[in-house]
């Protein structure tokens, strides 16, 4: 089931064979996981390592959700700065979440190293590049807050950011050296491999169409007419959530993030555009994020239309952004265009729900899920085994559908227009 424009530039590990074990209707497992992205697979891996019997059920092929389509920027932290988290959540819970968020990139790079995963990666940091002095003042404050909590970070002046990004579009920024880049498709497929080697069973191209209580556990049925039983269920469907859990889809706004990858850049440009290999994103409300990808291609992403794209013209705004940043890329061939879904919440905080005993879900990464969803697997697995809510870095909350969710396209369209205007006006 390959949608148009859903074939990213990313790579598949060598010697990769399909990890598909068909569902058996007689199956009973400790944990059933709906969704085989980073969240589902990391949870499967950690739960299987704890000796639990695990089944992952993925509607498409592994890697065809956001986890295999994203920009591969491994950025620790949340959209909110540490002091804002403490204000929102109080000292104890705020600091617990901050310390989890700060360590999420360590979880990704640590797993790659410890398990010798075949995942192209580079840990040279993430640059948040500021286009205005107002944005730079916020970045300086963010840098101060993270540095006070031990992050290896640097504030960048105009000359430094120009040297590091190769663009003269910025007045400054900050660098978080804990961050880096990975090939996200390789990471997802390699997580599937180690989850499977640890004993988790993975079924692809099976859509879970119903979850209901049965005895002390759960019965999951699929669109193909199969059913399995599980003591506990993780719904790791995030931005791809549909009607499986009442209210979940309506509690999120699923936006489209679009990406382009150029043809291989000439050596002279690779020496000037992000020569240090960092991940970068700008400080705009409607932001662009970019990096050098496999084979020396420049990869840039940003917001795209809410409906499914129809033609290459739907990526033109990103091509224009690329040339604004790097005039030398004018006329370069765009080799690939693709898109995926990002789940956003009204307060830009991820949501953890356990609407019933033994049913849990985390959703709403605001486009920052590579590090977070890989890192959450350990705590979720511990919670599944022990039932101990203290294992979880997020507080459990009820599912709260967003009022007027049906009109989200109109609302988002108006917001985007307004934010673009502010981005243009601000100095
Ligand atoms: C274009 C793009 C660029 C991004 N760039 C970055 C970035 O650079 N850095 C960053 O940190 N984050 C980025 N993100 C966000 C990041 O990719 C996500 O936050 C993260 O991958 C979410 O992982 P997940 O496992 O929760 O969800 P997913 O990877 O989306 O997995 C959910 C899975 O559930 C499956 N599913 C849904 N319903 C069912 C069902 N009923 N039955 C069975 N399976 C089902 C879906 O098919 C899907 O595979 C980006 C996202 C996109 C789309």
């Amino acid at each position: 089931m390959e949608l148009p424009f859903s074939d990213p530039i990313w790579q598949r590990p060598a010697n990769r064979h399909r990890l598909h074990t068909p569902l058996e209707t007689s199956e009973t497992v400790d944990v059933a996981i709906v969704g085989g992205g980073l969240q589902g697979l990391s949870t499967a891996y950690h739960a299987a390592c704890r000796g639990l019997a695990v089944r992952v059920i993925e509607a498409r092929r592994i890697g065809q959700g956001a986890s295999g389509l994203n920009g591969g920027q491994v950025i620790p932290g949340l959209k909110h700065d540490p002091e804002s988290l403490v204000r929102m959540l109080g000292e104890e819970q705020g600091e617990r979440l901050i310390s989890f968020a700060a360590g999420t990139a360590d979880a990704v790079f640590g797993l790659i190293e410890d398990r010798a995963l075949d995942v192209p990666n580079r840990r040279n940091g993430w640059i948040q590049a500021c286009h205005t002095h107002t944005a730079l003042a916020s970045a300086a404050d963010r840098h101060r807050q993270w540095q006070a909590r031990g992050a290896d970070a640097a504030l960048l002046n105009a000359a430094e950011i120009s040297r590091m990004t190769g663009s003269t579009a910025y007045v400054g920024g900050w660098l978080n050296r804990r961050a880096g880049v990975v090939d996200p498709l390789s990471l997802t497929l390699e997580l599937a491999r180690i989850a499977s080697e640890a004993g988790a069973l993975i079924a692809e191209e099976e859509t879970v169409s119903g979850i209901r209580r049965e005895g002390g556990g759960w019965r999951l049925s699929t669109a193909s007419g199969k059913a399995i039983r599980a003591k506990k269920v993780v719904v790791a469907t995030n931005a791809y959530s549909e009607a499986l859990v009442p209210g979940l889809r309506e509690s999120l706004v699923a936006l489209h993030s679009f990406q382009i990858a150029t043809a291989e850049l000439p050596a002279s440009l690779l020496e000037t555009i992000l020569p240090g290999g960092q991940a970068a994103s700008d400080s705009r409300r409607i932001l662009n994020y970019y990096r050098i990808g496999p084979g020396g291609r420049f990869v840039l992403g940003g917001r795209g239309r809410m409906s499914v794209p129809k033609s290459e013209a739907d990526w033109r705004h990103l091509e224009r952004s690329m040339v604004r940043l790097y005039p030398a890329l004018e006329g370069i061939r765009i080799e690939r265009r693709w898109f995926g879904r990002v789940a956003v919440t009204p307060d830009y905080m991820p949501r953890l729900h356990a609407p019933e005993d033994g049913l849990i879900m985390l959703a709403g990464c605001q486009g920052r899920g590579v590090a977070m969803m890989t890192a959450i697997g350990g705590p979720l697995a511990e919670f599944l085994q022990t039932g101990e809510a203290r294992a979880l870095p997020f507080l459990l909350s009820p599912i709260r559908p967003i009022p007027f969710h049906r009109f989200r396209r109109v609302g988002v369209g108006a917001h985007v227009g307004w934010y673009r205007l502010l981005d243009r006006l601000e100095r």
Side-chain angles (χ1 to χ4, degrees):
M1 183 183 32
E2 183 93 353
L3 287 169
F5 299 114
S6 56
D7 183 20
I9 203 79
W10 312 121
Q11 300 169 343
R12 290 172 179 273
N15 304 322
R16 150 91 185 156
H17 60 277
R18 196 176 171 199
L19 301 167
H20 168 69
T21 311
L23 291 174
E24 298 287 341
T25 288
S26 55
E27 245 176 82
T28 299
V29 290
D30 295 316
V31 182
I33 298 174
V34 187
L38 291 170
Q39 178 186 180
L41 294 167
S42 173
T43 306
Y45 166 67
H46 287 283
C49 288
R50 286 174 169 269
L52 299 174
V54 180
R55 168 57 93 168
V56 178
I57 308 175
E58 165 56 47
R60 306 183 194 195
R61 298 286 285 265
I62 297 293
Q64 289 184 333
S67 297
L69 295 166
N70 63 66
Q73 303 204 354
V74 182
I75 306 173
L78 299 165
K79 284 280 178 182
H80 291 276
D81 294 335
E83 289 171 8
S84 145
L85 290 173
V86 169
R87 271 194 303 277
M88 285 163 76
L89 302 168
E91 187 80 23
E92 194 190 331
Q93 175 56 24
E95 292 296 347
R96 223 152 66 81
L97 182 53
I98 293 162
S99 110
F100 165 76
T104 53
D106 293 342
V108 175
F109 292 106
L111 193 65
I112 292 174
E113 195 178 327
D114 295 348
R115 296 300 316 256
L117 303 187
D118 185 5
V119 178
N121 72 92
R122 192 161 182 190
R123 195 173 190 183
N124 258 0
W126 166 63
I127 298 167
Q128 192 171 33
C130 300
H131 61 297
T132 64
H133 289 283
T134 314
L136 185 55
S138 303
D141 195 43
R142 186 163 304 129
H143 164 257
R144 174 192 62 75
Q145 294 182 37
W146 278 114
Q147 214 179 33
R149 287 175 162 80
D152 183 3
L155 202 55
L156 307 172
N157 64 28
E160 286 162 337
I161 202 148
S162 163
R163 186 178 48 74
M164 289 182 76
T165 60
S167 171
T168 53
Y170 302 113
V171 297
W174 77 292
L175 168 72
N176 184 345
R177 294 195 186 86
R178 281 174 168 160
V181 291
V182 294
D183 184 303
L185 181 58
S186 296
L187 177 64
T188 307
L189 294 170
E190 281 287 85
L191 257 177
R193 177 179 65 77
I194 59 171
S196 158
E197 284 170 6
L201 299 177
I202 299 173
E204 294 181 305
E205 296 175 313
E206 288 281 6
T207 301
V208 177
S209 51
I211 304 176
R212 67 171 166 79
R213 276 258 176 229
E214 191 176 82
W218 297 90
R219 180 179 190 275
L220 289 85
S221 47
T222 69
S224 66
K226 295 176 190 138
I228 67 160
R229 274 147 211 86
K231 290 184 191 143
K232 296 190 176 168
V233 180
V234 180
V235 178
T237 52
N238 211 338
Y240 291 81
S241 301
E242 297 291 344
L244 195 57
V245 176
L248 181 61
R249 173 182 51 191
E250 290 74 19
S251 70
L252 307 164
V253 178
L255 303 175
H256 282 158
S257 190
F258 281 34
Q259 287 187 85
I260 50 175
T262 65
E264 182 180 351
L265 300 185
S268 58
L269 286 178
L270 284 172
E271 278 163 18
T272 55
I273 298 179
L274 292 170
Q278 287 89 4
S281 42
D282 65 41
S283 56
R284 289 184 163 81
R285 292 170 181 84
I286 307 298
L287 62 80
N288 287 130
Y289 51 94
Y290 48 96
R291 59 174 286 189
I292 300 296
R297 299 171 176 96
F298 181 73
V299 181
L300 178 136
R303 271 296 316 281
R305 52 187 287 161
M306 288 285 277
S307 51
V308 172
K310 293 194 177 70
S311 76
E312 292 181 353
D314 290 324
W315 276 260
R316 283 283 143 69
H317 63 295
L318 293 185
E319 296 172 36
R320 284 195 295 272
S321 298
M322 178 183 79
V323 173
R324 254 199 312 275
L325 270 180
Y326 297 107
L329 294 183
E330 172 96 61
I332 190 120
R333 188 165 61 85
I334 303 299
E335 208 169 83
R336 205 74 66 87
R337 297 169 177 82
W338 73 99
F339 78 108
R341 280 195 213 168
V342 170
V344 175
T345 57
D347 62 0
Y348 303 109
M349 283 290 282
R351 298 275 193 275
L352 180 69
H353 309 296
E356 290 189 57
D357 201 23
L359 177 64
I360 188 158
M361 61 215 61
L362 178 64
C365 301
Q366 337 290 329
R368 285 273 183 92
V370 173
M372 188 173 29
M373 288 318 204
T374 308
I376 198 67
L380 272 178
E382 185 181 343
F383 175 72
L384 290 166
Q385 191 172 47
T386 63
E388 194 47 76
R390 284 180 58 81
L392 301 166
F394 296 97
L395 289 175
L396 288 162
S397 63
I399 298 176
R400 285 205 186 87
I402 299 169
F404 306 111
H405 188 264
R406 259 184 318 142
F407 303 111
R408 65 196 179 283
R409 286 191 184 181
V410 181
V412 169
H415 260 84
V416 169
W418 172 239
Y419 282 167
R420 282 216 168 100
L421 182 68
L422 288 179
D423 282 337
R424 275 203 294 272
L425 293 179
E426 227 169 50
R427 288 282 165 267

